[in-house]
C-alpha cells in the first residue's frame, strides 16, 4: 500500500518504483516533507511514501523509479542525511532476515560478487550500541551470499543495518520498533550547513538568515540552474547565496543604503565599522559563486520597479517584521502623493511606517506580477501562535499555497515559512483583490505583532486562558 502525497501527480502516475529508505535529520521536522516533495517535483517525479509513514520519524520508505532520481534529490536536500536501496525490513531481526531472504536474488547478486569490496555499517536511532553488539548484528547477517571482501576504507559497496528506537529520548524501548537493511546510494547535503555557516561569512548583519534555513528556502522555491531569483528584502544576501549554490542567477533590493553598499556599523563583535568589500557580491565570491551575482539595488519593496512582468523564476525573502529591524517604506510628506514630474532629482522621500499586512499584500502582488508561471514565492510570515490558523495566511488570486511550516520563536510567537506557486497570469484588477474581498487580507489582525512581541500581552492572554481553564 502506498500513500501518494500529491493527488494530481497520482493521476499521472505510472509504475510504483523501487523501495528506498530515506534517513532524515531530526531538526526542522515540519520543513522536511515540503522540501523532499519540492525536490521530487524538480525531478518531475511524484513523491510516494508508504501509507503508514510517520512524518515525524527519521525513517521514510519512499518509492522511486530509479537510482538516478534518488541521487538527484540527495544532491540538494539539507533535511535528509542518506538514502538506501531497501532490501528488507522487520519489527524483529527474525522478520528482517525473512524479508531479506525474499528480496530477489538478481537484484542482490550484482553487489555481492567475488572480487568486489564491501562494508556493513550499523546505525541505531535513539540508542547507543556497544562495539560488541554491532559486531554481533553484522555476524547475524552471515546468511547473505556475500562473495566479496570486507574493506573498511573506500569499499565499492556499503550496506547499512538501521534500527529505529523511536523518537522519545526519555523512553527508548529495549528492542527497536523497526529494523532496516539496505544498500547505501547517496548522502544529502548536510555538510553545507557548516560550510556556509554565517559565523564564517564575510558580510553579515543582525538578521542574516542561518545557512540551513536558507538552503531549505532555496529548495522549497525549487531554485535551480540558470533560474533568475529575486529577494526584495535582501539584507546581507544569505538567501541569494543559497540559491546561487544551486546555480541560480541572483539579484535583490533593500531600502537600507548602508546594507546595499556594505557601509556603516558592523554587526560583528569587536568591530565598529564594516570593512572595505563587506558586501553581498563579496559573500558570493567567498564561495566561488560570483558568476551568479546579477546586482542589488537600493529600493523600496512596496514599489514595483520592474518594467517587464514574469521575469523571476523564484522570489525568496525574509521581510522585516520590526523585531530586529525597522519596517519602513518610502512615502511623501503628510501623505500627499506628488505627481512624478514634481519630483526633482535630489528629492529624498520620507520614510513611513510600513504595516505588516501591507508588506505581505505588496509582496504577494510583486510575486503575482513578476514570477513566471509556476514560479514560486517563499517567505516568512510572523504570527502569534494563539491566533494562528492557516486562514490568516495572505492569499492572492494568482498564487496557490503549497506549504506552510512553523518555526517557533518564543512561547507565543512563531514564523511560518510560506511557499506559494503562481497559477494564473496577473491582471490589473488582482492588485486590489485585498480591498474587494476580505479573504485576500486575513492577516490584518497581526499588524500589532511587534507591539505584542515586546509588551508581553501574549503572556498575559495565555495566563488568563490558563486561569479560565482551571
Ligand atoms: C529580515 S532582514 C533580511 C535579512 C536577509 N535575509 C539576510 O540574510 O541578511 C529584512 C531587510 O528588509 C529591509 N527592508 C525594510 N523595509 C524595506 C522596504 N520597504 N523595502 C526594501 N527593503 C526593506 C531591511 O533593511 C532589512 O535589511
Amino acid at each position: 500500500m502506498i500513500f501518494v502525497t500529491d493527488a494530481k501527480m497520482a493521476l499521472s502516475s505510472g509504475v510504483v518504483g523501487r523501495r528506498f529508505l530515506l534517513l532524515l535529520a531530526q531538526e526542522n521536522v515540519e520543513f522536511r516533507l515540503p522540501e523532499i516533495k519540492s525536490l521530487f517535483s524538480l525531478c518531475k517525479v511524484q513523491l510516494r511514501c508508504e501509507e503508514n509513514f510517520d512524518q515525524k520519524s527519521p525513517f521514510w520508505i519512499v518509492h522511486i523509479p530509479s537510482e538516478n532520481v534518488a541521487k538527484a534529490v540527495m544532491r540538494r536536500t539539507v533535511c535528509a542525511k542518506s538514502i538506501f536501496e531497501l532490501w528488507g525490513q522487520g519489527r524483529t531481526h527474525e522478520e528482517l532476515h525473512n524479508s531479506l531472504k525474499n528480496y530477489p536474488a538478481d537484484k542482490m547478486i550484482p553487489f555481492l560478487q567475488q572480487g568486489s569490496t564491501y562494508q556493513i555499517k550499523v546505525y541505531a536511532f535513539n540508542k547507543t550500541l556497544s562495539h560488541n553488539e554491532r559486531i554481533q548484528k553484522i555476524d547475524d547477517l552471515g546468511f547473505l551470499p556475500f562473495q566479496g571482501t570486507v574493506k573498511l576504507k573506500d569499499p565499492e559497496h556499503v550496506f547499512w543495518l538501521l534500527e529505529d528506537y523511536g523518537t522519545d529520548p526519555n523512553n527508548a524501548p529495549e528492542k527497536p520498533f523497526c529494523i532496516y537493511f539496505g544498500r547505501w546510494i547517496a548522502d544529502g547535503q548536510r555538510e553545507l550547513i557548516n560550510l556556509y555557516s554565517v559565523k564564517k561569512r564575510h558580510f553579515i548583519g543582525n538578521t542574516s538568515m542561518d545557512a540551513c534555513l536558507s538552503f531549505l528556502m532555496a529548495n522549497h522555491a525549487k531554485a535551480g540552474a540558470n533560474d533568475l531569483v529575486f529577494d526584495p528584502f535582501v539584507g546581507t544576501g544569505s538567501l541569494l547565496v543559497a540559491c546561487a549554490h544551486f546555480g541560480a542567477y541572483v539579484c535583490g533590493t533593500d531600502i537600507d543604503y548602508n546594507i546595499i553598499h556594505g557601509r556603516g556599523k558592523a554587526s560583528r563583535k569587536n568591530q565598529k565599522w564594516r570593512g572595505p568589500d563587506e558586501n553581498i557580491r563579496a559573500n558570493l565570491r567567498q564561495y566561488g559563486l560570483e558568476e551568479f551575482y546579477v546586482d542589488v539595488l537600493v529600493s523600496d519593496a512596496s514599489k514595483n520597479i520592474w518594467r517587464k512582468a514574469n521575469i523571476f523564476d523564484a522570489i525568496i525573502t525574509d521581510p522585516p517584521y520590526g523585531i530586529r529591524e525597522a519596517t519602513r517604506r518610502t512615502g511623501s510628506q503628510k501623505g500627499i502623493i506628488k505627481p512624478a514630474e514634481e519630483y526633482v532629482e535630489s528629492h529624498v522621500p520620507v520614510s513611513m511606517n510600513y504595516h505588516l499586512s501591507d508588506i505581505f499584500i505588496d509582496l504577494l502582488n510583486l510575486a503575482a506580477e513578476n514570477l513566471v508561471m509556476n514560479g514560486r514565492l517563499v517567505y516568512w510570515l510572523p504570527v502569534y501562535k494563539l491566533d494562528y490558523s492557516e486562514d490568516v495566511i495572505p492569499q492572492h488570486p494568482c498564487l496557490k499555497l503549497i506549504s506552510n511550516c512553523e518555526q517557533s520563536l518564543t512561547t507565543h510567537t512563531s514564523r511560518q515559512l510560506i511557499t506559494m506557486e503562481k497559477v494564473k497570469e496577473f491582471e490589473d484588477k488582482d492588485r486590489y483583490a485585498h480591498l474587494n474581498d476580505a479573504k485576500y487580507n486575513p492577516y490584518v489582525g497581526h499588524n500589532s505583532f511587534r507591539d505584542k512581541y515586546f509588551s508581553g500581552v501574549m503572556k498575559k492572554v495565555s495566563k488568563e486562558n490558563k486561569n479560565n481553564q482551571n
Side-chain angles (χ1 to χ4, degrees), residues 198 201 203-210 214 217 231-240 253-257 259 280 297-303 316-321 324-330 352 354 359 380 415:
V198 287
R201 180 86 41 93
F203 171 47
I204 54 160
N206 294 342
T207 55
S208 291
M209 181 63 67
D210 139 287
S214 301
M217 289 175 77
D231 180 350
F233 300 97
V234 71
T236 58
S238 314
L239 306 179
L240 300 191
T253 56
D254 201 288
I255 203 167
D256 185 340
Y257 179 95
I259 281 263
I280 296 174
L297 324 168
V298 180
S299 178
D300 175 1
S302 70
K303 312 276 183 295
I316 160 171
T317 199
D318 176 23
Y321 38 90
R324 282 177 295 172
E325 74 293 82
T327 48
R328 310 293 295 167
R329 66 186 171 93
T330 52
M352 297 164 54
Y354 196 7
I359 290 183
W380 290 99
R415 55 180 182 177

